[in-house]
Amino acid sequence: RTLGVLLLLLLFQSSRCVNKRKMEEGKAKKKRERTTAFTEEEEEEGEIFQRDDAMKKRKKKMRKSDDDDDDDDAANAATVSDIYGPNASATFHFLEEHRHRVHLQKLSDILASVACQSSGINCDYGRFTNKPLVKKIAVVLAPGLEHKMYVDTFGALHCKNMKRIFRNRIEGGKGGSQCVATKSMNPTAKGATHARSILYNGGWASGAETKKKREAKYKNDEAAQAYRLAKEQAKAAVKEEGEGEAEAGDDDNNGALKKMAKNGGKNNKTSTTTTNNERVTTETKLLQFLRDAPRKLSVKSATLTAEDMADMRYPLPTLIKKKEKAEVKEVLKLPEGGFVCTQPAGMGVANAEYPEIVAMDCEMVTIETGLALARCSVVDDCGTVIYDKLVLPPTPIVNYNTEFSGITKEQMRNVTTTLEDVQKELLELIPSECVIAGHSLENDLMMLKMCHPNVVDTVQMYPHKRGAPFRNALRFLTERYLRRKIQHEGTHDSVTDARATLELVYLKLIRGETFGNDISENFEDSESLFDHIAKENKTRGGGLENECEVLVFETITNSNKNAETIGVSGATETYKCVSDDDVTMKMQMSMREAPEDMSLLCFGYLRGLEDVLEKHALKEKKKKNKKAIRNTNGEVGSLKGGDDVNDDDSTARKEHFIERIEATQNLDSRVAKIWDELPANSLLLVATAVGDSATLRYKQEEKWSRNRKFSETEEVERKKQGLQNWTDEEQEALNKRWDATQFGVALCAIKPVLEEGEEKRPLVPAAAWTNSQKERV
């Protein structure tokens, strides 16, 4: 029995060995079949290998054989064309189920899936064939052309080259398109923001890597270290003063208010000096250190321009012509209603010493005619209170707005200080050279009826992520960037708000221009597509065929030299060009001179159409402002009901439309030039991001300005100008404009290999407009 069992075991073991040998021989045979690229029959029929897994294994084997025998590199190396065939073409199209809408930021998946194929990033809404054949990528960002216009008659007439290059329907397949609508979540933003939205929001940027990069950047940033050191020094200084003294300092403001109420609204502190008994708080000590910390920006560079102040509705004097003894002179005229203007230092009443910057905040109460000033507080560049008074309104108070102002009936009982008194004292305290910082400072100056030329506004320093006219609240900025709460539980204090505003200003000056900008800040802490490509180059190792160069071209001209640049990190080279034609020429040259085996990504930002739309929106805005001024001066007859005015508006609209058509045709011609210069199997992606964002942005600002709360003086001016609150019809029109503007168009195609005897199609040049064509428009 034992011998029988042993024989059975031997037979079983021998059968397993035989089966294992057969399986290994079968695997080896299949492997030999897979590593053969073409059979003789396949070569005759021109069929190619299209299985990505087999291709990867073959390339891996080639690299291994190259490492084993360096002397036989030329014999053993194989190119992509050896695998796919010499005349193989790559293709791309958007899937049928996604051709109606793709989020703008998802376009980066197309670029990453080609430039970083080893990362395993896929494009879920599009389909590639023979993707490894694509070595060159050209990306054109040209904001201003919305999807509806492109697919409509406008696109058929004026985008003939793009219609020829990018087909709406893929013939002879399972459906698809090379044109898709893209949705932007911020249609009022400018092109540079959309460029960063595309290049920073891909699947390569993991949350852990972003967090590590942010921590490393904060640790190595000198400005961040300076701010952190100032906070530590402030805490240490306050600790030395004693915990009891610090706690008493926190209640300074409330005690000061009660004391002011007993003294009829007058603060015991003088306008220029502080008493020795004033408590030192953490905030004031921190502001002293921040004032002396190294800065990336100067205070003067952060002040608002005259255009910005006019857009934000600051009270400004106007330039008028006045006759004096047969001579016409231009003089400044202050707004009506008791407005005053700050004087130069040493002239007039402004004789006191002044710091470089002060911070101001005012509180308002409601009277019968609207809002009125109730408290004004000013702190110097160290956060020390130099002015703080309660103000008696001209008429009885209807609502103290305690929840928002912190003003109570008891505090206002014995107040005798009037607005004229406050104006006189502030003119002595603040000269025109001193910079005033505030949050929505135009409201405070409007209540004070004061014009001042040098202002810094945290509304502009820390813009809302949705752009103007949306604004971040001061309590939100303080909690987010200063890590403390103000205005909570119904308590408001103008001194606390002024100190928080001053600290936010210092923080911006120390950290730099991009700090506080929601979009720029989030992007610079993330990994861009270009950074990821550079990292992939290091992973794959050196060599011309393994590295992908990234070139960025954008237009910077005299007219838009202050425009926001793309500012994307990781590019091999960034070129600032003088015009859109210069961008086109350099992209053509880069593609033409690049070696055949070299991987190259060129990103071009064309501003032509965007600048034309921005110019038209600005002209329309200025024309409305001029009409309002003429209405105020009583020149209504020349503006309303006249045929000349209607003719002028009609002519201006025609000219604007013709310029828009010409800009669109120029864009179409430039895209065609770039396409014609691309080598075969190169990918071209054109993204317009949004439509006419400039007009939408100005319409939103108009809505905000007409719906805001108005003081008595502003209400009188509005009635003179014939302005009304925003109507339901205007809101419906604005909603339609928003829906149309947020949908841009994305066009993507891979240039095919020309067959024998096939010639290039000539591009359609931008047509010159004749007078008869202009009349037809």
Side-chain angles (χ1 to χ4, degrees):
R1 290 176 61 185
T2 303
L3 185 60
V5 171
L6 291 173
L7 288 173
L8 288 173
L9 290 172
L10 288 173
L11 288 173
F12 179 71
Q13 187 67 23
S14 61
S15 63
R16 285 186 63 186
C17 291
V18 171
N19 292 336
K20 187 176 181 180
R21 193 181 303 112
K22 288 182 179 180
M23 289 175 64
E24 289 177 352
E25 290 177 355
K27 288 181 179 179
K29 184 177 180 181
K30 289 181 180 180
K31 190 174 182 180
R32 286 194 300 271
E33 291 176 355
R34 282 198 304 267
T35 54
T36 304
F38 298 100
T39 62
E40 294 180 357
E41 182 179 357
E42 286 173 337
E43 287 180 357
E44 292 175 0
E45 296 178 357
E47 295 180 359
I48 61 173
F49 245 178
Q50 296 184 359
R51 294 181 58 182
D52 289 342
D53 57 340
M55 180 199 65
K56 290 178 182 178
K57 291 179 181 179
R58 180 178 176 83
K59 289 175 70 177
K60 185 176 180 180
K61 184 177 179 181
M62 290 174 189
R63 287 197 296 269
K64 185 177 179 181
S65 63
D66 288 345
D67 294 336
D68 293 339
D69 192 359
D70 294 332
D71 296 331
D72 295 329
D73 277 345
N76 294 333
T79 62
V80 177
S81 60
D82 294 332
I83 300 174
Y84 289 96
N87 296 322
S89 292
T91 62
F92 173 84
H93 65 268
F94 296 102
L95 298 178
E96 182 70 17
E97 56 268 27
H98 294 284
R99 73 183 183 89
H100 295 293
R101 182 182 301 177
V102 172
H103 282 285
L104 179 64
Q105 61 189 31
K106 296 289 287 182
L107 293 181
S108 57
D109 292 348
I110 299 176
L111 309 178
S113 64
V114 176
C116 307
Q117 297 186 29
S118 59
S119 301
I121 300 174
N122 295 319
C123 180
D124 298 332
Y125 53 86
R127 177 173 296 164
F128 283 96
T129 59
N130 303 340
K131 184 168 63 175
L133 292 172
V134 181
K135 288 287 186 180
K136 308 286 191 300
I137 305 172
V139 184
V140 176
L141 176 66
L145 181 62
E146 61 191 46
H147 180 261
K148 184 178 180 181
M149 294 184 70
Y150 177 79
V151 300
D152 211 346
T153 310
F154 183 89
L157 292 175
H158 309 298
C159 302
K160 295 180 180 179
N161 288 306
M162 289 191 284
K163 292 285 186 179
R164 169 177 64 86
I165 297 170
F166 307 98
R167 291 171 290 175
N168 286 334
R169 300 287 296 176
I170 301 299
E171 300 173 2
K174 294 183 179 181
S177 170
Q178 292 175 336
C179 167
V180 70
T182 58
K183 183 178 181 180
S184 171
M185 302 307 294
N186 190 6
T188 58
K190 296 185 178 181
T193 301
H194 299 305
R196 292 193 288 265
S197 179
I198 294 173
L199 297 174
Y200 274 99
N201 288 291
W204 61 85
S206 65
E209 291 180 354
T210 300
K211 185 177 180 181
K212 288 180 181 178
K213 185 175 180 180
R214 187 184 295 113
E215 291 175 352
K217 178 185 172 184
Y218 185 76
K219 186 177 181 181
N220 299 324
D221 188 3
E222 294 180 359
Q225 291 176 0
Y227 180 69
R228 187 167 62 246
L229 179 62
K231 291 186 73 172
E232 293 173 357
Q233 289 175 339
K235 290 180 180 178
V238 172
K239 195 172 183 180
E240 290 177 2
E241 295 289 337
E243 294 181 1
E245 190 171 353
E247 290 175 2
D250 291 336
D251 298 327
D252 251 6
N253 296 329
N254 294 331
L257 272 182
K258 294 176 181 178
K259 200 170 184 180
M260 287 164 57
K262 291 180 180 179
N263 295 331
K266 297 180 181 179
N267 197 337
N268 283 347
K269 301 184 187 71
T270 62
S271 298
T272 57
T273 60
T274 57
T275 64
N276 295 328
N277 296 327
E278 185 179 3
R279 304 297 184 182
V280 180
T281 62
T282 305
E283 290 80 9
T284 56
K285 206 68 179 176
L286 174 60
L287 289 171
Q288 293 176 21
F289 289 112
L290 291 179
R291 180 193 59 180
D292 302 325
R295 302 173 182 174
K296 292 184 179 179
L297 299 174
S298 65
V299 175
K300 287 294 182 183
S301 66
T303 55
L304 296 179
T305 63
E307 292 79 7
D308 292 335
M309 293 176 70
D311 289 341
M312 297 175 69
R313 307 290 180 177
Y314 272 80
L316 296 174
T318 54
L319 197 64
I320 61 172
K321 294 181 179 180
K322 188 176 181 181
K323 279 188 177 183
E324 290 184 1
K325 297 181 181 180
E327 291 184 2
V328 178
K329 293 184 178 181
E330 291 184 341
V331 295
L332 289 176
K333 180 184 177 183
L334 293 175
E336 297 178 357
F339 275 79
V340 297
C341 185
T342 53
Q343 306 297 314
M347 298 178 63
V349 296
N351 295 316
E353 294 183 2
Y354 64 94
E356 180 185 20
I357 184 173
V358 297
M360 175 187 291
D361 188 71
C362 296
E363 304 294 352
M364 291 80 168
V365 293
T366 303
I367 58 178
E368 293 178 356
T369 55
L371 294 176
L373 182 68
R375 183 185 180 188
C376 177
S377 302
V378 182
V379 298
D380 65 4
D381 53 356
C382 293
T384 304
V385 178
I386 59 176
Y387 190 86
D388 188 13
K389 286 191 177 181
L390 296 169
V391 186
L392 180 66
T395 59
I397 299 174
V398 177
N399 189 346
Y400 289 90
N401 300 328
T402 305
E403 182 182 356
F404 306 103
S405 65
I407 304 296
T408 61
K409 185 176 181 179
E410 290 75 15
Q411 293 172 355
M412 298 295 295
R413 184 166 295 163
N414 298 321
V415 175
T416 58
T417 305
T418 63
L419 176 61
E420 290 74 16
D421 297 333
V422 175
Q423 288 177 336
K424 180 181 177 181
E425 292 166 353
L426 289 180
L427 290 179
E428 295 174 357
L429 186 65
I430 304 174
S432 58
E433 292 86 352
C434 181
V435 178
I436 301 180
H439 185 81
S440 294
L441 186 60
E442 77 277 9
N443 297 323
D444 299 334
L445 294 179
M446 193 69 73
M447 291 292 103
L448 286 167
K449 295 186 178 181
M450 179 182 292
C451 299
H452 187 76
N454 295 311
V455 296
V456 171
D457 203 320
T458 49
V459 165
Q460 191 228 25
M461 281 186 159
Y462 298 85
H464 195 279
K465 63 182 179 180
R466 294 179 63 183
F470 301 101
R471 297 185 174 192
N472 290 316
L474 180 61
R475 63 178 178 276
F476 167 77
L477 296 177
T478 305
E479 185 173 355
R480 178 172 181 180
Y481 296 108
L482 307 184
R483 299 293 188 267
R484 68 172 187 267
K485 291 184 178 181
I486 62 171
Q487 302 177 358
H488 62 288
E489 297 179 358
T491 59
H492 277 247
D493 183 72
S494 54
V495 173
T496 303
D497 293 352
R499 285 173 176 162
T501 301
L502 185 61
E503 187 175 346
L504 286 168
V505 171
Y506 281 152
L507 185 58
K508 178 77 172 186
L509 300 180
I510 292 171
R511 296 297 299 274
E513 191 171 355
T514 58
F515 179 80
N517 187 327
D518 272 343
I519 298 172
S520 300
E521 187 182 48
N522 292 338
F523 287 155
E524 69 177 4
D525 287 338
S526 304
E527 182 183 47
S528 72
L529 173 62
F530 302 158
D531 288 326
H532 188 69
I533 291 174
K535 189 168 67 175
E536 286 294 308
N537 290 341
K538 294 179 181 179
T539 304
R540 290 194 295 258
L544 186 65
E545 70 281 358
N546 287 331
E547 293 188 0
C548 178
E549 286 198 1
V550 178
L551 306 180
V552 177
F553 307 89
E554 57 180 323
T555 305
I556 303 294
T557 63
N558 291 330
S559 60
N560 65 5
K561 60 184 178 182
N562 294 324
E564 186 181 7
T565 56
I566 296 176
V568 178
S569 61
T572 308
E573 293 288 346
T574 300
Y575 300 93
K576 294 183 178 180
C577 305
V578 296
S579 64
D580 285 358
D581 288 330
D582 191 22
V583 172
T584 305
M585 183 188 68
K586 288 181 178 178
M587 289 184 70
Q588 289 178 288
M589 189 183 303
S590 301
M591 288 296 178
R592 183 170 57 247
E593 295 179 354
E596 183 180 353
D597 294 337
M598 176 183 178
S599 297
L600 178 65
L601 190 155
C602 290
F603 188 97
Y605 178 17
L606 304 181
R607 297 179 184 263
L609 182 56
E610 183 183 21
D611 287 345
V612 167
L613 298 176
E614 187 79 31
K615 181 181 70 173
H616 293 168
L618 186 60
K619 281 184 178 179
E620 190 67 25
K621 180 180 178 182
K622 287 182 177 179
K623 187 166 62 176
K624 286 186 177 181
N625 291 339
K626 286 182 180 179
K627 286 185 179 181
I629 293 172
R630 290 180 183 177
N631 285 339
T632 305
N633 296 332
E635 302 175 15
V636 183
S638 62
L639 292 169
K640 293 185 178 180
D643 295 335
D644 294 340
V645 176
N646 295 332
D647 292 342
D648 291 342
D649 292 343
S650 177
T651 303
R653 283 196 297 269
K654 289 179 182 178
E655 291 177 355
H656 289 177
F657 191 61
I658 291 172
E659 288 181 6
R660 184 171 188 173
I661 289 175
E662 290 175 347
T664 305
Q665 289 180 342
N666 291 333
L667 169 63
D668 180 67
S669 177
R670 293 179 183 116
V671 170
K673 290 177 181 178
I674 295 173
W675 173 264
D676 288 346
E677 203 61 49
L678 292 176
N681 288 322
S682 297
L683 183 142
L684 175 61
L685 174 64
V686 179
T688 65
V690 290
D692 188 359
S693 60
T695 301
L696 177 63
R697 187 164 56 252
Y698 288 129
K699 284 289 183 183
Q700 282 193 317
E701 291 176 2
E702 182 185 355
K703 173 190 173 183
W704 174 82
S705 63
R706 286 169 56 181
N707 276 351
R708 56 179 291 203
K709 294 182 179 179
F710 300 100
S711 64
E712 180 182 2
T713 306
E714 288 181 304
E715 193 63 38
V716 171
E717 291 293 326
R718 278 169 50 83
K719 289 180 179 178
K720 287 183 179 180
Q721 297 172 11
L723 297 178
Q724 299 176 350
N725 287 335
W726 198 254
T727 62
D728 293 339
E729 292 77 10
E730 288 174 317
Q731 182 60 42
E732 185 178 354
L734 181 62
N735 292 338
K736 289 181 179 179
R737 185 180 290 275
W738 176 283
D739 293 338
T741 304
Q742 70 176 341
F743 287 104
V745 61
L747 309 168
C748 185
I750 298 176
K751 191 171 183 178
V753 177
L754 292 177
E755 299 178 358
E756 279 189 38
E758 185 179 358
E759 296 181 356
K760 287 184 178 181
R761 294 184 182 180
L763 62 90
V764 181
W769 283 76
T770 63
N771 291 331
S772 60
Q773 288 176 321
K774 291 182 180 180
E775 288 298 326
R776 285 201 299 271
V777 171

